[in-house]
Amino acid sequence: MSFATRLLHTGNEIDRTTGASAVPIYQASTFHQEDVDQAQPYEYARSGNPTREALERTIATLEGGTRGFAFASGMAAISTALLLFSAGDHLIATDDIYGGTFRILTTVLNRLGIETTFVDVTDLENIRAAIRPNTKGLLLETPSNPLLQITDLAGAAKLAKEHGLLTIVDNTFQTPYLQRPLDHGIDVVVHSATKFLGGHSDVVAGLAVTKDQALGHRLKQLQNSFGAVLGPQDCFLLQRGIKTLKVRMDASCDGAELVARWLANREEVAKVYYPGLAAHKGHGVHLEQSSRSGAVLSFDLGTEERAKRLMRAVKLPLVAVSLGGVESILSYPATMSHSGMPKEERHKRGISDGLLRLSVGLEDPEDIIADLEQALQNG
Ligand SMILES: *Cc1c(COP(=O)(O)O)cnc(C)c1O
């Protein structure tokens, strides 16, 4: 069955007890035990809740994994997955990384004896060169945030296997509709489901998926131990959002392609970062591992002043942190998504003070372009 059909027929859409067309919000923290000696499917909602379980099965199926896990936020999913590592372990991570992930690696896990080296992973040789005897993990994002750099997933997974490294990919930008890292040999997929999977800018959530049974068992223990689970109401909203993932992504990708091409021809714009543009360095690799270019692009207006003028002049997009909503969202990485990264680190990575990130929503792309045009002129 195609992905479009599977989105609606995962087997988790119907409530098994009543036949209701949606699994209800089981707003319960605990479950009555008919017989204390008899194991039962649900006991306490941190370990398992039927609404959460339906969502967890859905994301596992869509990513081509065997187990899914729902967390209170994308950062809760990422942080819990990072607890697979132990004191003394060394990690390698992409240097163009989500600010919150950078923060936990450099201000929390470092204190617990887990050290991270950040490298430009667009060249796999940089990963190889950073491997030490105690290197245990590789953390990737492709396309990365906010510069949309592309990493060869199959190549990175192969290199990691040769050296016994556990691989984690943040698949927030592409979603399983466009890209399925587990198919390329990656071990753990994590998501900020706050973005495209939820899709409506009304829920904060995180998801993780594994394929290997033993690894899934370890992550289940960590989810239950750390306890940062997603509540049933938010699980319901995610299940609802996921049903329209394909149509939303298709419309947003169509829009992003048009907007990126338009921006690339504007003289006010110093640079456009979008893997769908043939001029993008990772264009070829991206299209081998992902079915479309995605709905997020970044562009550089050269100076902080110009970027801020544009943000004040636009009328359509939400000027906000976040991405992946039905509405377009314009953000300023320097003070928003990447405020967790010191200025020198940001600049070293090319996240300049003139950089803006646009997540293209479901508005008519011509209206978005007209709005950007008036904002570039009037701003
Ligand atoms: C937003 C985001 C996160 C963090 O997710 P939250 O749901 O905000 O905790 C992690 N990775 C990427 C790529 C993101 O865009």
Side-chain angles (χ1 to χ4, degrees), residues 5-217:
T5 308
R6 286 200 291 124
L7 263 182
L8 296 157
H9 301 277
T10 56
N12 311 302
E13 58 279 357
I14 295 166
D15 180 38
R16 299 213 171 110
T17 50
T18 62
S21 61
V23 176
I25 300 165
Y26 282 96
Q27 194 72 51
S29 62
T30 193
F31 299 83
H32 177 63
Q33 311 211 358
E34 289 294 342
D35 178 347
V36 286
D37 289 330
Q38 197 87 82
Q40 53 179 55
Y42 306 105
E43 288 169 350
Y44 185 63
R46 172 160 37 73
S47 340
N49 170 290
T51 317
R52 193 174 90 224
E53 196 175 277
L55 169 66
E56 292 180 331
R57 287 187 182 183
T58 297
I59 192 63
T61 304
L62 298 179
E63 284 285 4
T66 58
R67 281 191 97 148
F69 305 93
F71 296 92
S73 68
M75 280 319 303
I78 293 166
S79 305
T80 305
L82 288 171
L83 294 178
L84 288 163
F85 301 104
S86 305
D89 288 355
H90 170 249
L91 310 180
I92 298 170
T94 169
D95 61 0
D96 191 29
I97 196 165
Y98 177 72
T101 309
F102 181 82
R103 181 163 45 211
I104 187 163
L105 289 169
T106 57
T107 67
V108 181
L109 292 181
N110 60 325
R111 288 193 287 105
L112 306 180
I114 299 171
E115 197 193 341
T116 307
T117 303
F118 297 91
V119 302
D120 173 359
V121 293
T122 59
D123 181 352
L124 298 182
E125 282 312 309
N126 293 334
I127 300 176
R128 199 187 296 277
I131 293 174
R132 303 178 190 170
N134 64 333
T135 306
K136 294 287 167 60
L138 177 62
L139 192 54
L140 305 172
E141 285 179 30
T142 181
S144 63
N145 183 18
L147 295 178
L148 291 302
Q149 291 174 358
I150 303 302
T151 306
D152 170 4
L153 285 175
K158 183 164 170 281
L159 177 63
K161 289 249 150 54
E162 282 166 22
H163 293 86
L165 316 184
L166 186 83
T167 44
I168 301 177
V169 167
D170 184 333
N171 202 28
T172 300
F173 274 36
Q174 291 307 92
T175 81
Y177 171 43
L178 302 182
Q179 175 173 284
R180 287 181 289 283
L182 298 177
D183 291 353
H184 299 285
I186 297 297
D187 298 309
V188 184
V189 171
V190 290
H191 281 282
S192 170
T194 312
K195 315 295 169 51
F196 293 102
L197 291 169
H200 294 72
S201 304
D202 55 8
V203 57
V204 171
L207 294 167
V209 182
T210 54
K211 193 170 191 172
D212 178 74
Q213 297 286 352
L215 186 59
H217 183 70

